[in-house]
Amino acid sequence: MIKVCLADNFPVVHFGVKSYFKDHADISMTANVGSFLMIRDILLTKEIDVLVLDLELEGLSSIFEVKSLLKSFPKTKIIIFSGLSEQIYAPNAIKAGVSGYVHKKEKLETLGQSIIKVHQGKIIMNETVKKNLALIAKQSKSERLYRKLSNREVEVLRYLSGGKKNHEIAEILGLNEKTISTYKLRLLTKLNVTNLVDLVNKAKSLEIV
C-alpha cells in the first residue's frame, strides 16, 4: 500500500481526495496537512511514500524549500498538485527534484495513476513540458536568458503580480532588497517590457499568476 500525504490549503480538496481514494486498492491517504510548516512533522513521525503538494500551500514561499525538503527526506517522492500553469511551473519543479506535476483540472484518476507511477520511480509530466525541457537543454546560455525564466525569477514575478513591494518580497524569500531589484530588471528585459504594469500583464498572459 502506497502511503500518501496531501498538503493543500482547502478542506474541500482534502475531503474530495480522501473520499476518492478511501477504498483504493493501492493508495492509502495516510495524512493531511494545511500548511508547509506541518509537513516536516508528518514526515518525521510517519512513513510517507508520496507527498502530494500544492505550490500555493500556506507557508511555502519558494521552490527551493521543496528542494530542501527532498534533500531531508529522500525516500519520499513529491508530486505537485496545483492550479498553476503546468507549462510555466512544471519544468522548474522537475529540475528541483519533484517526481511529477498534475494540474488540478485533471481527474483524480490521473492523480492516482501518477502516484503509482511515481512510487515506481517514474517521472510524470505531460508532453508539452517534456518538449519544453528538451528545447531548454538544447539552447545556449544566451538563448535561455530570453526564453526561460529561472525559479527565482518566476517567484519574484509571481509576488510582484500579487502586488508585493520589493522589500516585502525580499523578506518573504530571505533575500536583500537590492537582489529583488536586480531580478525585477532581468524580468523586464527577458519579457521585453519597460514597466511594472506591462510586466504584470505579461505574467497574466503567460499564466504565471
mmCIF file of all heavy atoms in Angstrom, residues 80-112:
data_model
loop_
_atom_site.group_PDB
_atom_site.id
_atom_site.type_symbol
_atom_site.label_atom_id
_atom_site.label_comp_id
_atom_site.label_asym_id
_atom_site.label_seq_id
_atom_site.Cartn_x
_atom_site.Cartn_y
_atom_site.Cartn_z
ATOM 1 N N ILE A 80 3.625 17.552 -7.460
ATOM 2 C CA ILE A 80 2.975 18.852 -7.360
ATOM 3 C C ILE A 80 1.554 18.712 -7.908
ATOM 4 O O ILE A 80 1.354 18.234 -9.024
ATOM 5 C CB ILE A 80 3.743 19.929 -8.158
ATOM 6 C CG1 ILE A 80 5.180 20.084 -7.617
ATOM 7 C CG2 ILE A 80 2.993 21.252 -8.090
ATOM 8 C CD1 ILE A 80 5.282 20.495 -6.169
ATOM 9 N N PHE A 81 0.575 19.113 -7.097
ATOM 10 C CA PHE A 81 -0.838 19.056 -7.478
ATOM 11 C C PHE A 81 -1.373 20.471 -7.342
ATOM 12 O O PHE A 81 -1.696 20.928 -6.253
ATOM 13 C CB PHE A 81 -1.569 18.082 -6.554
ATOM 14 C CG PHE A 81 -3.017 17.847 -6.888
ATOM 15 C CD1 PHE A 81 -3.402 17.513 -8.177
ATOM 16 C CD2 PHE A 81 -3.988 17.940 -5.904
ATOM 17 C CE1 PHE A 81 -4.742 17.281 -8.481
ATOM 18 C CE2 PHE A 81 -5.332 17.708 -6.192
ATOM 19 C CZ PHE A 81 -5.706 17.376 -7.488
ATOM 20 N N SER A 82 -1.403 21.196 -8.459
ATOM 21 C CA SER A 82 -1.616 22.644 -8.381
ATOM 22 C C SER A 82 -2.465 23.167 -9.527
ATOM 23 O O SER A 82 -2.559 22.545 -10.586
ATOM 24 C CB SER A 82 -0.246 23.343 -8.389
ATOM 25 O OG SER A 82 -0.402 24.746 -8.376
ATOM 26 N N GLY A 83 -3.057 24.339 -9.301
ATOM 27 C CA GLY A 83 -3.812 25.011 -10.344
ATOM 28 C C GLY A 83 -2.966 25.977 -11.141
ATOM 29 O O GLY A 83 -3.442 26.595 -12.092
ATOM 30 N N LEU A 84 -1.684 26.122 -10.767
ATOM 31 C CA LEU A 84 -0.774 26.995 -11.500
ATOM 32 C C LEU A 84 -0.387 26.371 -12.839
ATOM 33 O O LEU A 84 -0.361 25.149 -12.976
ATOM 34 C CB LEU A 84 0.489 27.264 -10.672
ATOM 35 C CG LEU A 84 0.286 28.082 -9.387
ATOM 36 C CD1 LEU A 84 1.572 28.100 -8.569
ATOM 37 C CD2 LEU A 84 -0.160 29.499 -9.710
ATOM 38 N N SER A 85 -0.054 27.207 -13.805
ATOM 39 C CA SER A 85 0.261 26.762 -15.158
ATOM 40 C C SER A 85 1.348 25.682 -15.180
ATOM 41 O O SER A 85 2.466 25.899 -14.720
ATOM 42 C CB SER A 85 0.732 27.951 -16.007
ATOM 43 O OG SER A 85 1.260 27.510 -17.235
ATOM 44 N N GLU A 86 0.992 24.525 -15.709
ATOM 45 C CA GLU A 86 1.948 23.417 -15.789
ATOM 46 C C GLU A 86 3.122 23.757 -16.703
ATOM 47 O O GLU A 86 4.269 23.421 -16.411
ATOM 48 C CB GLU A 86 1.225 22.166 -16.300
ATOM 49 C CG GLU A 86 2.047 20.895 -16.236
ATOM 50 C CD GLU A 86 1.221 19.663 -16.547
ATOM 51 O OE1 GLU A 86 0.025 19.796 -16.851
ATOM 52 O OE2 GLU A 86 1.778 18.563 -16.482
ATOM 53 N N GLN A 87 2.835 24.444 -17.788
ATOM 54 C CA GLN A 87 3.882 24.786 -18.754
ATOM 55 C C GLN A 87 4.953 25.676 -18.128
ATOM 56 O O GLN A 87 6.135 25.550 -18.436
ATOM 57 C CB GLN A 87 3.256 25.470 -19.972
ATOM 58 C CG GLN A 87 4.255 25.720 -21.096
ATOM 59 C CD GLN A 87 3.567 26.215 -22.353
ATOM 60 O OE1 GLN A 87 2.341 26.170 -22.473
ATOM 61 N NE2 GLN A 87 4.351 26.700 -23.303
ATOM 62 N N ILE A 88 4.528 26.582 -17.226
ATOM 63 C CA ILE A 88 5.464 27.506 -16.604
ATOM 64 C C ILE A 88 6.164 26.890 -15.395
ATOM 65 O O ILE A 88 7.379 26.995 -15.236
ATOM 66 C CB ILE A 88 4.736 28.800 -16.165
ATOM 67 C CG1 ILE A 88 4.184 29.544 -17.385
ATOM 68 C CG2 ILE A 88 5.668 29.702 -15.356
ATOM 69 C CD1 ILE A 88 5.238 30.085 -18.316
ATOM 70 N N TYR A 89 5.391 26.214 -14.541
ATOM 71 C CA TYR A 89 5.928 25.788 -13.248
ATOM 72 C C TYR A 89 6.493 24.365 -13.227
ATOM 73 O O TYR A 89 7.377 24.063 -12.425
ATOM 74 C CB TYR A 89 4.844 25.916 -12.168
ATOM 75 C CG TYR A 89 4.555 27.353 -11.807
ATOM 76 C CD1 TYR A 89 3.541 28.063 -12.451
ATOM 77 C CD2 TYR A 89 5.304 28.025 -10.849
ATOM 78 C CE1 TYR A 89 3.284 29.389 -12.145
ATOM 79 C CE2 TYR A 89 5.054 29.348 -10.537
ATOM 80 C CZ TYR A 89 4.051 30.032 -11.190
ATOM 81 O OH TYR A 89 3.800 31.344 -10.889
ATOM 82 N N ALA A 90 5.985 23.477 -14.079
ATOM 83 C CA ALA A 90 6.443 22.087 -14.044
ATOM 84 C C ALA A 90 7.936 21.919 -14.353
ATOM 85 O O ALA A 90 8.625 21.172 -13.649
ATOM 86 C CB ALA A 90 5.605 21.230 -14.983
ATOM 87 N N PRO A 91 8.477 22.585 -15.387
ATOM 88 C CA PRO A 91 9.913 22.395 -15.663
ATOM 89 C C PRO A 91 10.811 22.743 -14.476
ATOM 90 O O PRO A 91 11.739 21.998 -14.150
ATOM 91 C CB PRO A 91 10.160 23.342 -16.849
ATOM 92 C CG PRO A 91 8.838 23.433 -17.532
ATOM 93 C CD PRO A 91 7.837 23.427 -16.416
ATOM 94 N N ASN A 92 10.526 23.868 -13.805
ATOM 95 C CA ASN A 92 11.327 24.251 -12.651
ATOM 96 C C ASN A 92 11.143 23.283 -11.488
ATOM 97 O O ASN A 92 12.087 22.992 -10.751
ATOM 98 C CB ASN A 92 10.955 25.671 -12.200
ATOM 99 C CG ASN A 92 11.525 26.735 -13.125
ATOM 100 O OD1 ASN A 92 12.507 26.508 -13.818
ATOM 101 N ND2 ASN A 92 10.898 27.887 -13.145
ATOM 102 N N ALA A 93 9.914 22.783 -11.323
ATOM 103 C CA ALA A 93 9.657 21.824 -10.249
ATOM 104 C C ALA A 93 10.395 20.510 -10.496
ATOM 105 O O ALA A 93 10.995 19.941 -9.577
ATOM 106 C CB ALA A 93 8.152 21.570 -10.132
ATOM 107 N N ILE A 94 10.361 20.039 -11.736
ATOM 108 C CA ILE A 94 11.065 18.804 -12.092
ATOM 109 C C ILE A 94 12.575 18.981 -11.899
ATOM 110 O O ILE A 94 13.259 18.104 -11.376
ATOM 111 C CB ILE A 94 10.762 18.393 -13.552
ATOM 112 C CG1 ILE A 94 9.272 18.092 -13.741
ATOM 113 C CG2 ILE A 94 11.615 17.189 -13.960
ATOM 114 C CD1 ILE A 94 8.744 16.933 -12.958
ATOM 115 N N LYS A 95 13.081 20.142 -12.295
ATOM 116 C CA LYS A 95 14.515 20.434 -12.115
ATOM 117 C C LYS A 95 14.889 20.480 -10.634
ATOM 118 O O LYS A 95 16.013 20.164 -10.258
ATOM 119 C CB LYS A 95 14.864 21.753 -12.799
ATOM 120 C CG LYS A 95 14.950 21.660 -14.319
ATOM 121 C CD LYS A 95 15.084 23.023 -14.957
ATOM 122 C CE LYS A 95 16.386 23.683 -14.582
ATOM 123 N NZ LYS A 95 16.537 25.020 -15.227
ATOM 124 N N ALA A 96 13.931 20.869 -9.800
ATOM 125 C CA ALA A 96 14.183 20.935 -8.351
ATOM 126 C C ALA A 96 14.167 19.555 -7.709
ATOM 127 O O ALA A 96 14.598 19.405 -6.561
ATOM 128 C CB ALA A 96 13.151 21.832 -7.675
ATOM 129 N N GLY A 97 13.660 18.557 -8.439
ATOM 130 C CA GLY A 97 13.701 17.197 -7.916
ATOM 131 C C GLY A 97 12.363 16.527 -7.669
ATOM 132 O O GLY A 97 12.326 15.376 -7.235
ATOM 133 N N VAL A 98 11.241 17.230 -7.917
ATOM 134 C CA VAL A 98 9.953 16.572 -7.718
ATOM 135 C C VAL A 98 9.766 15.502 -8.796
ATOM 136 O O VAL A 98 10.386 15.553 -9.857
ATOM 137 C CB VAL A 98 8.769 17.571 -7.740
ATOM 138 C CG1 VAL A 98 9.002 18.710 -6.765
ATOM 139 C CG2 VAL A 98 8.508 18.099 -9.137
ATOM 140 N N SER A 99 8.897 14.552 -8.517
ATOM 141 C CA SER A 99 8.737 13.410 -9.425
ATOM 142 C C SER A 99 7.570 13.546 -10.389
ATOM 143 O O SER A 99 7.425 12.741 -11.307
ATOM 144 C CB SER A 99 8.567 12.126 -8.604
ATOM 145 O OG SER A 99 9.713 11.871 -7.828
ATOM 146 N N GLY A 100 6.730 14.558 -10.178
ATOM 147 C CA GLY A 100 5.601 14.701 -11.072
ATOM 148 C C GLY A 100 4.864 16.010 -10.862
ATOM 149 O O GLY A 100 5.009 16.668 -9.827
ATOM 150 N N TYR A 101 4.070 16.386 -11.855
ATOM 151 C CA TYR A 101 3.264 17.609 -11.793
ATOM 152 C C TYR A 101 1.908 17.280 -12.389
ATOM 153 O O TYR A 101 1.802 16.923 -13.562
ATOM 154 C CB TYR A 101 3.944 18.725 -12.578
ATOM 155 C CG TYR A 101 3.419 20.117 -12.285
ATOM 156 C CD1 TYR A 101 4.194 21.035 -11.587
ATOM 157 C CD2 TYR A 101 2.143 20.514 -12.702
ATOM 158 C CE1 TYR A 101 3.734 22.319 -11.310
ATOM 159 C CE2 TYR A 101 1.668 21.803 -12.421
ATOM 160 C CZ TYR A 101 2.472 22.690 -11.735
ATOM 161 O OH TYR A 101 1.999 23.966 -11.453
ATOM 162 N N VAL A 102 0.859 17.381 -11.567
ATOM 163 C CA VAL A 102 -0.501 17.109 -12.024
ATOM 164 C C VAL A 102 -1.332 18.374 -11.813
ATOM 165 O O VAL A 102 -1.414 18.884 -10.693
ATOM 166 C CB VAL A 102 -1.136 15.934 -11.242
ATOM 167 C CG1 VAL A 102 -2.581 15.723 -11.703
ATOM 168 C CG2 VAL A 102 -0.314 14.657 -11.431
ATOM 169 N N HIS A 103 -1.931 18.875 -12.878
ATOM 170 C CA HIS A 103 -2.756 20.081 -12.760
ATOM 171 C C HIS A 103 -4.094 19.720 -12.132
ATOM 172 O O HIS A 103 -4.636 18.624 -12.352
ATOM 173 C CB HIS A 103 -2.979 20.705 -14.145
ATOM 174 C CG HIS A 103 -3.448 22.116 -14.089
ATOM 175 N ND1 HIS A 103 -4.776 22.451 -13.896
ATOM 176 C CD2 HIS A 103 -2.768 23.300 -14.182
ATOM 177 C CE1 HIS A 103 -4.899 23.769 -13.872
ATOM 178 N NE2 HIS A 103 -3.709 24.310 -14.049
ATOM 179 N N LYS A 104 -4.637 20.636 -11.347
ATOM 180 C CA LYS A 104 -5.887 20.357 -10.638
ATOM 181 C C LYS A 104 -7.100 20.233 -11.560
ATOM 182 O O LYS A 104 -8.167 19.798 -11.119
ATOM 183 C CB LYS A 104 -6.143 21.434 -9.575
ATOM 184 C CG LYS A 104 -5.300 21.237 -8.319
ATOM 185 C CD LYS A 104 -5.690 22.197 -7.220
ATOM 186 C CE LYS A 104 -4.963 21.855 -5.931
ATOM 187 N NZ LYS A 104 -5.310 22.784 -4.827
ATOM 188 N N LYS A 105 -6.937 20.588 -12.822
ATOM 189 C CA LYS A 105 -8.045 20.409 -13.769
ATOM 190 C C LYS A 105 -8.159 18.934 -14.190
ATOM 191 O O LYS A 105 -9.189 18.537 -14.755
ATOM 192 C CB LYS A 105 -7.833 21.282 -15.003
ATOM 193 C CG LYS A 105 -6.660 20.861 -15.874
ATOM 194 C CD LYS A 105 -6.470 21.802 -17.052
ATOM 195 C CE LYS A 105 -5.261 21.390 -17.885
ATOM 196 N NZ LYS A 105 -4.992 22.345 -18.988
ATOM 197 N N GLU A 106 -7.125 18.150 -13.903
ATOM 198 C CA GLU A 106 -7.142 16.730 -14.254
ATOM 199 C C GLU A 106 -8.066 15.949 -13.320
ATOM 200 O O GLU A 106 -8.349 16.362 -12.192
ATOM 201 C CB GLU A 106 -5.728 16.139 -14.168
ATOM 202 C CG GLU A 106 -4.713 16.757 -15.109
ATOM 203 C CD GLU A 106 -4.948 16.401 -16.563
ATOM 204 O OE1 GLU A 106 -5.736 15.459 -16.833
ATOM 205 O OE2 GLU A 106 -4.356 17.062 -17.439
ATOM 206 N N LYS A 107 -8.517 14.789 -13.780
ATOM 207 C CA LYS A 107 -9.361 13.927 -12.957
ATOM 208 C C LYS A 107 -8.520 13.299 -11.844
ATOM 209 O O LYS A 107 -7.308 13.123 -11.988
ATOM 210 C CB LYS A 107 -9.975 12.818 -13.814
ATOM 211 C CG LYS A 107 -10.925 13.331 -14.889
ATOM 212 C CD LYS A 107 -11.469 12.178 -15.715
ATOM 213 C CE LYS A 107 -12.421 12.680 -16.792
ATOM 214 N NZ LYS A 107 -12.948 11.576 -17.640
ATOM 215 N N LEU A 108 -9.181 12.958 -10.733
ATOM 216 C CA LEU A 108 -8.458 12.318 -9.628
ATOM 217 C C LEU A 108 -7.916 10.948 -10.037
ATOM 218 O O LEU A 108 -6.951 10.461 -9.458
ATOM 219 C CB LEU A 108 -9.374 12.191 -8.404
ATOM 220 C CG LEU A 108 -9.664 13.507 -7.678
ATOM 221 C CD1 LEU A 108 -10.634 13.281 -6.526
ATOM 222 C CD2 LEU A 108 -8.385 14.153 -7.169
ATOM 223 N N GLU A 109 -8.500 10.365 -11.048
ATOM 224 C CA GLU A 109 -7.969 9.106 -11.596
ATOM 225 C C GLU A 109 -6.540 9.318 -12.101
ATOM 226 O O GLU A 109 -5.665 8.467 -11.905
ATOM 227 C CB GLU A 109 -8.869 8.621 -12.737
ATOM 228 C CG GLU A 109 -8.389 7.327 -13.385
ATOM 229 C CD GLU A 109 -9.234 6.935 -14.581
ATOM 230 O OE1 GLU A 109 -10.192 7.667 -14.914
ATOM 231 O OE2 GLU A 109 -8.926 5.899 -15.197
ATOM 232 N N THR A 110 -6.308 10.471 -12.738
ATOM 233 C CA THR A 110 -4.971 10.803 -13.235
ATOM 234 C C THR A 110 -3.992 10.982 -12.082
ATOM 235 O O THR A 110 -2.848 10.531 -12.150
ATOM 236 C CB THR A 110 -5.016 12.099 -14.072
ATOM 237 O OG1 THR A 110 -5.898 11.912 -15.176
ATOM 238 C CG2 THR A 110 -3.629 12.464 -14.597
ATOM 239 N N LEU A 111 -4.452 11.626 -11.013
ATOM 240 C CA LEU A 111 -3.612 11.780 -9.826
ATOM 241 C C LEU A 111 -3.253 10.420 -9.260
ATOM 242 O O LEU A 111 -2.094 10.176 -8.899
ATOM 243 C CB LEU A 111 -4.337 12.620 -8.772
ATOM 244 C CG LEU A 111 -3.586 12.805 -7.438
ATOM 245 C CD1 LEU A 111 -2.257 13.520 -7.652
ATOM 246 C CD2 LEU A 111 -4.451 13.581 -6.449
ATOM 247 N N GLY A 112 -4.218 9.517 -9.188
ATOM 248 C CA GLY A 112 -3.964 8.172 -8.672
ATOM 249 C C GLY A 112 -2.943 7.417 -9.510
ATOM 250 O O GLY A 112 -2.016 6.789 -8.972
#
